[in-house]
Amino acid sequence: MILLAFTIPVSTAASYVVLGIFLFFWILDNLKPPLKELLNIIKSNPVAMAAGAFFLIHLAGLFYTRANLEKVLESIQNGGKFLFIAMAMIYLKEEKNARTVLISFIGAMGGVLILSYLIRISMVPGFIPVKGNPGDCFVFHDHIKHNIFMAFTVFVTAVWARSAKTLRARLLWSGFSCLAFINVLFMIDGRTGHLIILILLFYYFFSWNSRKSIVAAAIIFLCMGISLWAYPSNPFLTRTRIAIEEIKNWNYGVPASQHASSGLRLEFDTNALKLIKKSPFIGTGTGSFQASYRGLIQGTKFNNSDNPHNEFLMAGVQFGLAGVLMLLYFFITQWRYAASLGKKERIMLSHGFSLTIITACMVASPLQDAAEGWFFGLMSAALSAYPVTQKQTLTLKPG
C-alpha cells in the first residue's frame, strides 16, 4: 500500500501491477479463517460498512443491467474501489501505517512538483517522459488529475505545517504547500483543481475558530488577488473566463460544441437527469450508462458519452435514487466518522480529503478513472481506518 500510494500519481500501469501484488498477498493473508478480518472491519468501521453497501449495489445491478460484458466488468471494478477501502483498512488501523501511506503519496507529489517547475523553464531531463508543456505544466497524468492530486497535497502539507513541533518543520511544510499552491493556480489548466483548492482554503482557515485565522486568510487572499491582477493571463483566470463564456453560450436542448467542456458537461447532466426520470428508483443497472445514454440521444445531434462527468448522476442513472442516496450516505458517514477521530490533525486531513473527492464528484467522474479512483480508495482507507477515540468517563463519588 505504501508503494501504491507512490505509484498512483506517477503511473497507472505501475499502480495496477502493485494492486495485483497487493491482491495476491491479501488473499493469502485472509484464507484462514476466510474473510474474518474483512467482516470484522466492516462491522466495526461505519465507513467500511457504507463502502461495502455501495459495492453491493453494483452486484445487485447485475440482475437487470442493459450493458454489455465489457461495461459491466468496468463498472464492477469501479465499485470494487469501495470494497478495497475495507480490504485496505485491515492493515491501516495503526496510525503510523496510515501516516506512512500518506507520506509516500506526498513524497511522490513532491517529485511531480519539481518536474512541473522544470517543465515551466524547459529543463526536464530527456530520459523522463513528461506530458505537459511550459504553458500547462502537468507531468505524468493529464491536467485534471494533476491538479486534483496537487490541490490535496497543498492542503495536507498546510495541515502538517500547522501541527509541526519545530520551526524547521513548519517552514519546510509551509514552503512545500506554497509552491504546490502556486502550481495549482498559476501553472496548470485543470479547473477541477482550481475549484477544490478554493474550497479547501476556506475550510482550512475557518476551521481554526480564531481571529488569527481570519487575519491569515485575509493576507493569503490578498496576496492571491494581487498575483492574479499582476498576471492576468494565468491559467486560473483564463480557464474561469472560458468556463463562464461556455456556460453563457450553452442552450438547453441544443447540442453543445465539442470544444466547450463546460457546455458539454451541462448537456450530459441534463440528459442524465432525463435517464434518471425514466427509471428513478433502481436505475438501468450496473455499467449501463453508455448504452442508456446512446439510446436516449439516438436520432439527435447530441454528443455521445460514456459518463456524465458527475458521480452522483452516474450513480443515479445506474442505480436510481437508491444509488444516489447510498453514495451520499457514504460521504456523510465518512465526514461524521472523521469528526470523532480525536486529534485535530486527523479530523482536518479526513475532512479535507472528503471535500476534495465530493467536489471532484460534482464536476467530473473521478471514481470511474483509474488514478483518481484508486487514490480515492486508498486515501479513504488511510484516513478513516483509525479506531475512534473513546471518551473517558468520570465517576463522581458523593462528598
Side-chain angles (χ1 to χ4, degrees), residues 185-262:
L185 282 189
F186 298 104
M187 297 170 62
I188 310 295
D189 283 349
R191 282 181 294 207
T192 303
H194 296 161
L195 180 60
I196 289 170
I197 197 66
L198 294 178
I199 291 173
L200 290 178
L201 270 178
F202 275 106
Y203 171 71
Y204 179 79
F205 285 110
F206 288 100
S207 65
W208 284 10
N209 296 321
S210 68
R211 293 180 180 178
K212 290 182 179 180
S213 67
I214 298 175
V215 173
I219 293 172
I220 292 292
F221 284 111
L222 178 62
C223 293
M224 189 172 73
I226 293 172
S227 300
L228 293 173
W229 174 79
Y231 177 32
S233 61
N234 66 81
F236 175 73
L237 285 182
T238 301
R239 297 289 285 172
T240 301
R241 292 191 196 102
I242 292 173
I244 293 171
E245 195 64 29
E246 289 172 350
I247 292 170
K248 285 181 179 179
N249 292 335
W250 179 78
N251 293 305
Y252 178 77
V254 179
S257 168
Q258 294 184 359
H259 303 290
S261 60
S262 297

Side-chain angles (χ1 to χ4, degrees), residues 88-89 92 97-99 101-102 377-386:
M89 279 184 178
L92 297 174
N97 293 346
R99 186 176 177 86
V101 167
L102 189 56
L378 183 60
M379 290 302 147
S380 290
L383 296 171
S384 301
Y386 310 124

Side-chain angles (χ1 to χ4, degrees), residues 8 28 63 71 74 88 93 107 115 144 158 196 256 269 275 304 323 337 348-349 388 395:
I8 283 173
L28 291 181
F63 292 99
K71 286 298 176 182
E74 185 180 303
K93 289 180 288 187
L115 287 173
I144 298 175
I196 289 170
D269 290 351
L275 289 173
N304 196 15
Y337 187 77
M348 288 192 67
L349 290 176
V388 175
T395 304

Side-chain angles (χ1 to χ4, degrees), residues 47-305:
V47 177
M49 182 175 291
F54 194 67
F55 172 70
L56 289 178
I57 282 186
H58 285 74
L59 297 183
L62 294 175
F63 292 99
Y64 58 92
T65 185
R66 306 173 187 176
N68 58 36
L69 181 60
E70 180 185 356
K71 286 298 176 182
V72 166
L73 293 176
E74 185 180 303
S75 185
I76 288 293
Q77 183 192 99
N78 293 331
K81 294 163 186 171
F82 285 84
L83 182 61
F84 174 79
I85 294 172
M87 293 169 65
M89 279 184 178
I90 294 173
Y91 308 101
L92 297 174
K93 289 180 288 187
E94 292 187 26
E95 184 177 358
K96 63 179 182 179
N97 293 346
R99 186 176 177 86
T100 305
V101 167
L102 189 56
I103 289 173
S104 178
F105 175 81
I106 297 300
M109 289 306 299
V112 170
L113 183 64
I114 292 171
L115 287 173
S116 184
Y117 275 91
L118 290 176
I119 290 173
R120 186 71 167 189
I121 58 177
S122 301
M123 290 186 63
V124 180
F127 63 89
I128 300 178
V130 296
K131 296 181 177 180
N133 57 72
D136 191 7
C137 310
F138 55 95
V139 182
F140 299 118
H141 292 295
D142 61 48
H143 58 237
I144 298 175
K145 299 179 186 67
H146 178 110
N147 246 13
I148 290 174
F149 295 158
M150 196 61 74
F152 181 64
T153 299
V154 172
F155 181 79
V156 172
T157 50
V159 171
W160 285 349
R162 177 173 160 181
S163 58
K165 303 298 183 183
T166 64
L167 178 61
R168 183 179 179 181
R170 184 166 297 177
L171 291 175
L172 173 66
W173 292 122
S174 297
F176 191 161
S177 186
C178 288
L179 289 173
F181 179 75
I182 293 170
N183 187 253
V184 170
L185 282 189
F186 298 104
M187 297 170 62
I188 310 295
D189 283 349
R191 282 181 294 207
T192 303
H194 296 161
L195 180 60
I196 289 170
I197 197 66
L198 294 178
I199 291 173
L200 290 178
L201 270 178
F202 275 106
Y203 171 71
Y204 179 79
F205 285 110
F206 288 100
S207 65
W208 284 10
N209 296 321
S210 68
R211 293 180 180 178
K212 290 182 179 180
S213 67
I214 298 175
V215 173
I219 293 172
I220 292 292
F221 284 111
L222 178 62
C223 293
M224 189 172 73
I226 293 172
S227 300
L228 293 173
W229 174 79
Y231 177 32
S233 61
N234 66 81
F236 175 73
L237 285 182
T238 301
R239 297 289 285 172
T240 301
R241 292 191 196 102
I242 292 173
I244 293 171
E245 195 64 29
E246 289 172 350
I247 292 170
K248 285 181 179 179
N249 292 335
W250 179 78
N251 293 305
Y252 178 77
V254 179
S257 168
Q258 294 184 359
H259 303 290
S261 60
S262 297
L264 285 171
R265 277 175 166 80
L266 290 171
E267 179 183 312
F268 298 152
D269 290 351
T270 52
N271 286 335
L273 288 170
K274 293 177 184 177
L275 289 173
I276 295 173
K277 188 177 180 180
K278 286 186 174 184
S279 184
F281 299 111
I282 60 172
T284 53
T286 304
S288 63
F289 181 87
Q290 187 175 41
S292 300
Y293 194 85
R294 188 186 296 118
L296 177 72
I297 66 172
Q298 190 173 7
T300 71
K301 294 184 179 180
F302 284 120
N303 300 276
N304 196 15
S305 177

Side-chain angles (χ1 to χ4, degrees), residues 7-20:
T7 58
I8 283 173
V10 175
S11 169
T12 300
S15 297
Y16 274 114
V17 171
V18 175
L19 277 166

Side-chain angles (χ1 to χ4, degrees), residues 36-57:
K36 180 181 178 181
E37 284 295 324
L38 180 63
L39 293 175
N40 286 339
I41 284 289
I42 291 174
K43 288 178 183 178
S44 63
N45 189 300
V47 177
M49 182 175 291
F54 194 67
F55 172 70
L56 289 178
I57 282 186

